[in-house]
Amino acid sequence: MNIRTLGIFLFSIGASLAAGFWGSTATVESITGWYASLNQPSWTPPNWVFMPVWTLLYVLMGTSVALVWKQKGSLKPVLFFFAHLVVNVAWSLVFFGQHQVGLALLIICLLWLMIAGMMLWFWKYSRIATYLLVPYLVWVTYATTLNIGIMVLN
């Protein structure tokens, strides 16, 4: 692995983890207060599950975009990836920070569509990059059901 490729991987994974950290700033304050006071769907995992799952997902996302970024002609899908990170963070800020469950549902649906579109786009550059996003799409699908459940129950 050359220095450029290493830099791409380190930057991509670091940026993904930084986005996760930014989103978690709203979550940390809310998880034991507002969120804990909500009626939760029966399929809600314990709070401790979220941090390791999201950390792994951010590493997978960063690795995925790095695999695409090192390919020629991949600037547009890479920029789309970083735009998608903004939407990813927005969900946490709106759901946990602003307690706007309905608006958060719209955002997470947009996020789901962006992930699916990104997977289709990444397929052209790297099959492995696409496969690395499968757990992310599955988790966001699950998170969407939690968002809906919380909206219905509260």
Side-chain angles (χ1 to χ4, degrees):
M1 180 180 297
N2 64 37
I3 194 76
R4 178 184 179 276
T5 301
L6 179 62
I8 288 172
F9 274 89
L10 291 175
F11 179 83
S12 298
I13 293 169
S16 296
L17 288 168
F21 178 77
W22 181 20
S24 75
T25 59
T27 306
V28 169
E29 293 179 15
S30 188
I31 201 89
T32 57
W34 170 78
Y35 182 75
S37 73
L38 296 173
N39 294 318
Q40 304 283 334
S42 60
W43 60 93
T44 302
N47 290 341
W48 66 264
V49 169
F50 293 100
M51 190 166 112
V53 167
W54 274 110
T55 301
L56 174 61
L57 292 174
Y58 285 117
V59 170
L60 293 174
M61 284 188 268
T63 304
S64 175
V65 74
L67 289 170
V68 171
W69 194 347
K70 62 186 206 129
Q71 305 298 320
K72 292 202 183 293
S74 64
L75 182 60
K76 287 181 183 177
V78 169
L79 292 175
F80 185 81
F81 172 85
F82 287 104
H84 125 276
L85 280 181
V86 173
V87 176
N88 176 295
V89 170
W91 181 86
S92 293
L93 297 178
V94 169
F95 185 89
F96 287 106
Q98 297 177 356
H99 309 162
Q100 297 293 321
V101 178
L103 180 56
L105 179 60
L106 294 175
I107 293 169
I108 203 167
C109 288
L110 173 60
L111 180 62
W112 192 97
L113 290 170
M114 290 180 86
I115 297 164
M118 197 164 48
M119 290 172 73
L120 292 171
W121 208 348
F122 281 18
W123 186 260
K124 174 182 173 184
Y125 298 94
S126 168
R127 306 289 195 263
I128 294 169
T130 301
Y131 296 137
L132 289 173
L133 293 176
V134 170
Y136 180 35
L137 186 65
V138 169
W139 183 259
V140 169
T141 301
Y142 174 63
T144 303
T145 70
L146 290 173
N147 195 145
I148 293 167
I150 288 170
M151 194 167 80
V152 169
L153 294 171
N154 295 279

